Amino acid sequence: MKQVFGVLGDPIEHSLSPAMHNAAFRELGMDCEYHAFRVRQKNLKYAISGAQAMGFGGLNITVPHKEKALEFTNPDTLARRIGAVNTVSFNDEIRGHNTDGLGAEMALREAGVGINSSSVVLVGAGGAARAIAFHFAEKGACVTIANRTPEKAEALAKDVGCSHAGLEDLKGLLKDSDILINATSVGMHPHIDTTIASREILHPDLAVFDIVYNPLQTKLLRQAELAGAKPIGGVAMLVHQGAEAFRIWTGQKPPVEVMRKAVLEGLG
Ligand code: NAP
């Protein structure tokens, strides 16, 4: 019988996950289908347990439910520490995972950038930054968090056990850093003319990773190119977090390039 997978969010109509996972299932000849479901917060618990009851193969959880989903799953250690779940598996129990940080690591790795022992400036202290900060710190990166609201950077740094700084210190911080990550929504459509950093404070030894993927070429990435730094776009993280979810659910090696093509087509 066909196995069903899905993503729960609200809103959900612009999700690229159905195209990405359905392309992967087709590629591997698997009798599976992936759908997007708009679920209100008050119904999240029933949607997750209902999916298990109906024999779903797995779920993704997206904005605004990632934190709340922690309550309705048995989260693994990383998801519990992050405080958010983006993937649910139904093997013996309703298990919560978070693959966003690994997605970010893989995006850097495929660009030839390792994170172990690297000095990372992470701008942002929201959900995505949280996932990246915990995962990167666990993998041996030296992370400094900077955020528009400094109290949030301080609180996240305390949770992770890393350092924090003000956004006004970015120039000085970047001088001795290997990787700059934008984990804010700055530069995202429709505000495409905004950036967290301009070329003057970037340098050729820096990898500049913008997790924003709409537009594909953000202003920050253009500034990185002008400074001779290595620009890395957000699509790779989106694809790899999905690929890791696919691996968790199916135990199969995900067809990453097919998934990337589907995402790029979806972004037009
Ligand atoms: P979030 O939880 O709402 O956090 C937003 C972050 O952006 C906060 O740190 C916020 O700072 C900061 N911010 C917003 N507007 C700003 C501005 N004008 N100037 C400076 N900082 C600003 O959002 P999220 O879920 O972490 O997502 C952040 C971005 O990452 C979004 O664009 C999302 O699409 C993207 N994303 C990409 C992937 C991927 O796979 N590539 C995955 C997840 C998210 P304050 O704390 O001061 O408000």
Side-chain angles (χ1 to χ4, degrees):
M1 201 174 73
K2 199 179 276 299
Q3 193 157 36
V4 180
F5 296 75
V7 56
L8 313 184
D10 184 17
I12 198 64
E13 50 275 19
H14 297 302
S15 173
L16 295 162
S17 294
M20 176 167 67
H21 286 290
N22 284 323
F25 292 138
R26 269 195 307 277
E27 174 70 12
L28 299 185
M30 297 168 73
D31 191 17
C32 301
E33 261 179 23
Y34 187 111
H35 297 279
F37 298 93
R38 183 177 179 207
V39 173
R40 293 286 158 88
Q41 175 127 320
K42 65 179 170 50
N43 293 323
L44 183 64
K45 175 182 178 181
Y46 308 110
I48 293 174
S49 59
Q52 184 198 32
M54 290 189 290
F56 273 41
L59 290 174
N60 284 127
I61 308 289
T62 190
V63 177
H65 299 322
K66 289 185 186 183
E67 290 81 14
K68 196 76 183 159
L70 211 58
E71 288 175 34
F72 310 129
T73 62
N74 178 13
D76 66 18
T77 311
L78 182 62
R80 188 184 298 281
R81 291 193 73 207
I82 292 168
V85 161
N86 79 335
T87 300
V88 178
S89 60
F90 297 120
N91 293 329
D92 302 318
E93 56 173 345
I94 302 181
R95 189 80 165 143
H97 314 258
N98 194 311
T99 66
D100 280 337
L102 182 64
E105 180 190 358
M106 293 300 293
L108 285 162
R109 204 194 288 175
E110 74 175 18
V113 180
I115 62 170
N116 184 21
S117 306
S118 61
S119 173
V120 178
V121 176
L122 175 62
V123 179
R130 226 180 139 75
I132 293 171
F134 276 103
H135 180 82
F136 277 42
E138 200 163 87
K139 289 297 180 87
C142 174
V143 180
T144 302
I145 298 164
N147 190 49
R148 177 178 62 179
T149 309
E151 295 79 16
K152 288 194 197 163
E154 190 177 351
L156 177 54
K158 194 167 164 230
D159 287 352
V160 174
C162 66
S163 47
H164 64 94
L167 267 185
E168 65 284 0
D169 300 329
L170 205 51
K171 184 177 177 183
L173 284 173
L174 290 178
K175 272 190 191 133
D176 297 318
S177 296
D178 308 305
I179 301 170
L180 166 64
I181 303 178
N182 175 38
T184 74
S185 44
V186 175
M188 190 170 84
H189 182 80
H191 305 292
I192 58 171
D193 263 333
T194 55
T195 177
I196 55 156
S198 56
R199 63 181 291 187
E200 295 76 32
I201 66 168
L202 306 175
H203 57 78
D205 295 329
L206 199 63
V208 177
F209 176 29
D210 196 342
I211 75 164
V212 170
Y213 54 80
N214 183 16
L216 292 176
Q217 178 76 329
T218 61
K219 183 167 184 185
L220 175 62
L221 295 178
R222 287 199 303 278
Q223 296 295 302
E225 247 168 34
L226 290 170
K230 184 191 274 268
I232 301 162
V235 163
M237 173 175 165
L238 181 66
V239 170
H240 283 289
Q241 63 77 29
E244 184 55 21
F246 187 93
R247 193 195 313 274
I248 289 169
W249 299 324
T250 67
Q252 304 250 26
K253 186 170 181 262
V256 171
E257 291 317 315
V258 168
M259 296 171 85
R260 192 189 320 264
K261 187 164 171 271
V263 167
L264 289 172
E265 279 170 7
L267 286 168

